[in-house]
Amino acid sequence: MISKIPLDEWVEFVVDKLEVNLGVLFQFISTCIEGTVNALSFVFHGVPVLMLIGLVSILAFYLGRWSFAVFSGLGLLLIYNLGFWSHTMDTLALVLTSALISIIIGIPIGVWCAQSDKFRNVATPLLDFMQTMPAFVYLIPAVTFFGLGVVPGVIASVIFAVPPTIRLTNLGIRQVAEDLVEAADAFGSTPSQKLFKLQFPLALPSIMAGMNQTIMLSLSMVVIASMIGAQGIGADVYRAVTQIKTGQGFEAGLSIVVLAILLDRMTQYILKRKRSV
């Protein structure tokens, strides 16, 4: 009989070593993430509810049309009426922080993948691993390194949500017509000029689509993140599940649906405006 490979022991050994040797770095990351989430939450809570609803509706009208503006206003009023406004703002701060970190990390890595076949061949299986590993597994090392609270929830969300930005950034740059790239080379463009003045603008629709998927995946993690102390609507859903409160769970879930539709449609309308420019 073949003995079991001690993979679990190896993983725990690596995690322990990282925790001991990189504790200061993890504390710095934790402080930055928590500060960003708290700052966004402070802004969202600081604006009067009706004023914020009005601003979002105006933005929805500017990006889309009347129907989207009306849905935005009524949807946010429904969230306020159901009593989930405060938790929705907490969730929005968590989602935007996760999406922002994912985009900051994902776009440069996607550009690197597009410019290097060797790096892409290494990154692709890692991205496959990140997208197929159950999201609950990411909570274990996140809690180990960052403790309970909103920070491990953001970290787990970033790991789960960053692959689409990387993949679609890589895809968008690689799909730029070869003759345009050759023309840029013929005119003596430097690699940075070729990237920022040719490839990046033409790949922007694909990159925006990746950002949209990243935001949606970040939002899908709010319930899972609530299991390790992240506040927001996810905590209400998790509480309703554990206490078998169907009505409360439906209300909290409906608030998440409204927020998801708003974020999805806004990013899609921004993408359409970019394509029409």
Side-chain angles (χ1 to χ4, degrees), residues 84 233-253:
F84 292 106
I233 311 178
D236 295 301
V237 175
Y238 181 65
R239 193 178 305 112
V241 171
T242 56
Q243 298 176 1
I244 318 298
K245 293 185 177 179
T246 307
Q248 180 181 336
F250 180 81
E251 290 179 346

Side-chain angles (χ1 to χ4, degrees), residues 146-182:
F146 301 101
L148 297 175
V150 68
V151 176
V154 171
I155 296 296
S157 298
V158 169
I159 297 173
F160 185 69
V162 72
T165 296
I166 298 175
R167 290 183 186 278
L168 289 177
T169 299
N170 168 51
L171 179 64
I173 292 178
R174 285 181 177 274
Q175 286 182 335
V176 174
E178 189 66 29
D179 55 346
L180 294 178
V181 177
E182 292 175 355

Side-chain angles (χ1 to χ4, degrees), residues 10-28 140-148:
W10 296 345
V11 172
E12 290 180 5
F13 175 80
V14 172
V15 170
D16 290 340
K17 287 296 183 181
L18 290 175
E19 186 179 9
V20 171
N21 297 320
L22 299 179
V24 176
L25 175 61
F26 292 142
Q27 182 60 43
F28 174 75
I140 302 172
V143 171
T144 301
F145 294 140
F146 301 101
L148 297 175

Side-chain angles (χ1 to χ4, degrees), residues 94 143 147-153 222-232 235 238:
L94 188 150
V143 171
L148 297 175
V150 68
V151 176
V222 297
V223 177
I224 297 176
S226 69
M227 299 176 63
I228 53 175
Q231 298 302 310
Y238 181 65

